[in-house]
Amino acid sequence: MVTLELKGLHRVTAKGRVYWYAWRGGPRLAGMPSTPEFLASYNEAIASRTTPDNNRFRSLITQYKASADYRKLAESTRRNWGPWLDRIAGHFGELRIAQFDRPEKIRPIIRRWRAAYAETPRSADYGIQVLSRVLSYAVDPLGKIGSNPCEGVRQLYSGSRSEIIWTDNDVEHLKKTCSAEIAYALDLAACTGLRVGDLIRLSWSHVDEDAITIATGKSRHQREAIIPLYQELRDALGRIPKRSPVILTSSKKRPWTVNGLASSFSDAKKIAWPKGDDLHFHDLRGTAATKFYTAGLTEREIAEIMGWEEDHVSRIIRRYVSRGAAIKERIRKLDQAKK
């Protein structure tokens, strides 16, 4: 048998099954490699790519990936969305765009697609989020459809992590068994509230006499986080050895990568909580909000630093700062107002 080398094939494994696509984001191929059916579907896909049909949904994926809207997304977001855009193109690619302009007809199809991921509700909702963004782009600026049919599809996952934080006991428990490098990252995240992408690029040059000032990656460096150097933050910085221009480094004395820190952090949690836990690194942002409050910042000031709404900050404060501490803070402010 003659084996042909087909260029650009994309292999995806999902739930133990292997699927082949003509290219990343391209149509799913029929049959198995080296079979006539597979070769025929590959040739058909290549031919359609040479003469693209702008009336098919697949063209929306192509246009969205090439758009300024997509390029404006954070690199980490594009990295997470890429596989979902491939799945969406593979499933909906051959449908006509006009079909998405009939919500009552297309929503059941969208729900059936989401149902394939129902065992992991958060993943299913994430897929709908990506599909919705593409369809919103089709509404405006493309004007291909009149409305976004995903707007009538409810979320499956009802839980929220928005008000989960690490307590002091949680932090101390992990620090009993983790490396010094993970402990430094833990302390700095809990004291600054910075997202992991900003945390790993935080340099000593960002630290001045009174505050840490850094342009945040989530805002594409258009917004600065200005974090006052309160005593606990000064103490955390004082414990970190200056091995590099970047504050946080791995055991190899090199700056962390996002994946490197995430992997080491996950391993440390497994040792600290062998039976599992419900704490994520990102939850340290809520911990920082409570520290800012007890250090004397107002809820408005905290919201500005964190990029949150004030009512979100208020809920965290009410939930995690003891009533006694909150009352003492208000007394202190009232006493200062009288001076």
Side-chain angles (χ1 to χ4, degrees):
M1 177 183 292
V2 177
T3 302
L4 298 177
E5 182 179 350
L6 305 180
K7 295 183 179 181
L9 289 178
H10 182 55
R11 184 175 184 262
V12 174
T13 302
K15 296 185 178 181
R17 297 185 62 183
V18 176
Y19 300 94
W20 289 93
Y21 296 84
W23 58 85
R24 180 180 288 274
R28 185 189 297 178
L29 301 179
M32 297 299 294
S34 299
T35 64
E37 184 183 15
F38 187 88
L39 183 60
S41 63
Y42 174 81
N43 289 334
E44 182 180 350
I46 295 299
S48 67
R49 192 180 196 184
T50 304
T51 56
D53 187 346
N54 290 329
N55 294 317
R56 303 286 178 181
F57 184 82
R58 190 179 310 284
S59 68
L60 290 181
I61 300 286
T62 302
Q63 291 178 74
Y64 179 64
K65 282 184 173 181
S67 71
D69 285 10
Y70 186 68
R71 292 194 300 273
K72 286 178 183 177
L73 296 175
E75 182 181 351
S76 59
T77 302
R78 293 197 302 271
R79 186 167 58 248
N80 291 332
W81 283 29
W84 279 106
L85 289 171
D86 291 345
R87 296 183 191 114
I88 291 167
H91 189 85
F92 297 104
E94 294 307 306
L95 294 181
R96 292 193 173 276
I97 296 173
Q99 291 178 255
F100 290 83
D101 216 9
R102 293 180 291 176
E104 73 285 353
K105 297 289 185 181
I106 198 64
R107 280 197 194 111
I109 297 174
I110 292 173
R111 291 190 181 101
R112 284 197 295 272
W113 174 73
R114 182 192 60 182
Y117 305 95
E119 292 181 3
T120 52
R122 278 185 286 185
S123 293
D125 290 343
Y126 197 82
I128 291 294
Q129 178 187 350
V130 177
L131 175 60
S132 181
R133 180 64 69 90
V134 174
L135 289 169
S136 292
Y137 186 73
V139 174
D140 184 15
L142 294 184
K144 295 280 189 177
I145 56 178
S147 63
N148 182 350
C150 281
E151 290 178 358
V153 179
R154 66 176 180 82
Q155 289 191 333
L156 293 180
Y157 184 70
S158 58
S160 172
R161 305 196 60 83
S162 62
E163 293 164 32
I164 295 176
I165 73 167
W166 289 67
T167 65
D168 289 341
N169 288 338
D170 294 328
V171 172
E172 291 307 315
H173 180 72
L174 181 58
K175 288 168 72 173
K176 288 177 183 177
T177 54
C178 74
S179 67
E181 289 74 21
I182 290 296
Y184 298 147
L186 192 72
D187 284 343
L188 198 56
C191 287
T192 64
L194 291 173
R195 293 179 174 86
V196 65
D198 295 325
L199 200 68
I200 63 172
R201 66 183 182 84
L202 188 66
S203 300
W204 294 107
S205 62
H206 291 125
V207 183
D208 60 27
E209 184 177 352
D210 298 314
I212 290 175
T213 304
I214 181 172
T216 59
K218 191 70 173 179
S219 69
R220 298 187 68 83
H221 309 292
Q222 298 300 308
R223 175 184 173 276
E224 285 187 331
I226 302 175
I227 305 162
L229 284 178
Y230 59 104
Q231 192 57 51
E232 189 173 353
L233 177 52
R234 289 183 186 275
D235 293 342
L237 288 167
R239 290 191 292 271
I240 302 174
K242 294 185 177 181
R243 300 169 172 171
S244 162
V246 174
I247 295 176
L248 294 177
T249 57
S250 68
S251 58
K252 296 180 179 179
K253 301 181 180 181
R254 297 174 183 171
W256 287 105
T257 63
V258 171
N259 290 338
L261 179 56
S263 177
S264 296
F265 184 75
S266 177
D267 291 343
K269 284 205 306 172
K270 289 175 183 177
I271 295 172
W273 290 282
K275 295 183 180 180
D277 70 287
D278 191 37
L279 292 169
H280 298 177
F281 193 91
H282 193 74
D283 299 332
L284 289 160
R285 299 197 77 211
T287 305
T290 64
K291 291 182 183 295
F292 293 153
Y293 182 80
T294 55
L297 297 186
T298 66
E299 292 177 3
R300 182 183 182 88
E301 289 169 332
I302 296 168
E304 289 175 354
I305 292 173
M306 309 295 294
W308 289 344
E309 298 296 330
E310 281 188 62
D311 62 345
H312 184 181
V313 176
S314 181
R315 287 196 300 272
I316 289 178
I317 299 307
R318 288 198 304 270
R319 181 171 181 176
Y320 290 104
V321 179
S322 71
R323 180 176 295 180
I327 290 174
K328 287 179 182 178
E329 175 61 18
R330 292 187 177 103
I331 290 173
R332 183 187 66 80
K333 292 176 181 176
L334 288 169
D335 288 342
Q336 283 184 341
K338 291 180 180 179
K339 293 178 181 179

